[in-house]
Amino acid sequence: MERPYDVGPDDKVHPGDPVTVDRYTPAARINHWITAASLVLLALSGLALFHPSLFFLTGLFGGGETTRAIHPWIGVVLFFGFLGLFLRFWRANLWRGEDGTWMRRLSDVLRGHEENVPEVGKYNAGQKLYFWTMSVLIIIMIGSGVVLWDQYFAEYTSVGQKRAAVLIHAVGAVVSICVWIVHVYAAIWVRGTIRAMVKGSVTGGWAWRHHRKWLRELVTGKRDDQGSGAKPAE
């Protein structure tokens, strides 16, 4: 029988008190934290080069010249780090019919009334939006960054292309930082989420409350199309 699209081969339920559910492998967690660290370093080094008032941040990297030299290389690490995450998780982040309903009822989620929204798989609509938004932004950032990387690509680009790339790169960076802040806030706000990326597992209660469809599919080994409907609001 074909495994449900959002259940990974290493996702497992372990009986106990409390029940625990494996959500991320050690390799996936290392991949995530390398990508996250690269994004933070890119933001700091990029802001240091963005405006004179933030130039003091170059001290974190050994000065302005060093910051300018290593910034694009950190971008390369980010690109390949996120590529690893993309290849691991793109299938589980495909948009499903219940995701639109989940977004329309986001206010219920924010108020803690998740019983009024559709049951979701391994990722909810908000997480999927973050995944695909960052996928697009990273492509934009690496593309515009290559145009600006004069050490290797100066002869292949014109002045006009560089000017456009500066604007695109700056806008993309600001949007990326804002999206990342929302992502971190959401991870802190939903208690138990950070544990998944630190320990690799969540409690059965957490999985039942926030990702019930994924848990049901994991236990039964069958895709659950009946769990996608929301319960009516009381």
Side-chain angles (χ1 to χ4, degrees):
M1 182 180 297
E2 185 179 358
R3 188 176 67 245
Y5 73 93
D6 59 350
V7 174
D10 298 300
D11 296 350
K12 293 182 176 62
V13 178
H14 302 281
D17 186 19
V19 173
T20 58
V21 185
D22 292 337
R23 189 165 169 86
Y24 296 113
T25 64
R29 300 199 305 275
I30 291 172
N31 191 169
H32 170 269
W33 288 115
I34 289 175
T35 305
S38 300
L39 188 58
V40 172
L41 292 174
L42 270 177
L44 291 173
S45 58
L47 288 172
L49 300 170
F50 179 72
H51 194 273
S53 64
L54 298 173
F55 188 76
F56 70 93
L57 291 173
T58 59
L60 298 172
F61 304 93
E65 184 176 347
T66 305
T67 302
R68 182 66 185 88
I70 67 173
H71 179 77
W73 285 110
I74 300 173
V76 172
V77 174
L78 173 66
F79 175 78
F80 284 104
F82 192 85
L83 179 61
L85 294 177
F86 184 89
L87 295 176
R88 290 175 185 275
F89 302 126
W90 72 269
R91 185 173 174 83
N93 280 279
L94 292 175
W95 198 260
R96 302 289 165 172
E98 63 266 24
D99 293 323
T101 304
W102 193 95
M103 285 300 299
R104 289 192 294 272
R105 300 184 183 181
L106 182 60
S107 60
D108 285 314
V109 179
L110 298 177
R111 292 197 300 266
H113 299 309
E114 293 188 57
E115 69 277 6
N116 296 332
V117 300
E119 296 177 3
V120 296
K122 191 165 188 176
Y123 301 108
N124 60 45
Q127 293 170 312
K128 291 179 179 182
L129 282 176
Y130 172 78
F131 178 86
W132 293 110
T133 299
M134 288 303 298
S135 297
V136 172
L137 286 171
I138 287 175
I139 291 174
I140 291 173
M141 296 293 288
I142 195 71
S144 58
V146 166
V147 175
L148 298 172
W149 202 352
D150 286 345
Q151 183 177 359
Y152 298 105
F153 304 104
E155 61 183 293
Y156 304 107
T157 57
S158 66
V159 173
Q161 290 172 331
K162 293 181 191 300
R163 289 173 177 170
V166 168
L167 178 60
I168 293 171
H169 201 75
V171 173
V174 171
V175 175
S176 298
I177 292 171
C178 292
V179 170
W180 178 80
I181 290 173
V182 173
H183 173 67
V184 173
Y185 178 78
I188 296 172
W189 181 64
V190 181
R191 185 178 302 177
T193 300
I194 294 180
R195 165 184 168 149
M197 269 302 169
V198 174
K199 296 184 177 181
S201 64
V202 295
T203 64
W206 184 94
W208 179 252
R209 178 177 181 182
H210 301 295
H211 299 274
R212 190 171 302 182
K213 184 178 177 182
W214 169 65
L215 180 62
R216 185 182 289 111
E217 291 178 337
L218 178 57
V219 172
T220 64
K222 297 184 297 183
R223 180 168 176 172
D224 178 16
D225 291 318
Q226 296 182 347
S228 61
K231 297 179 180 179
E234 297 179 358

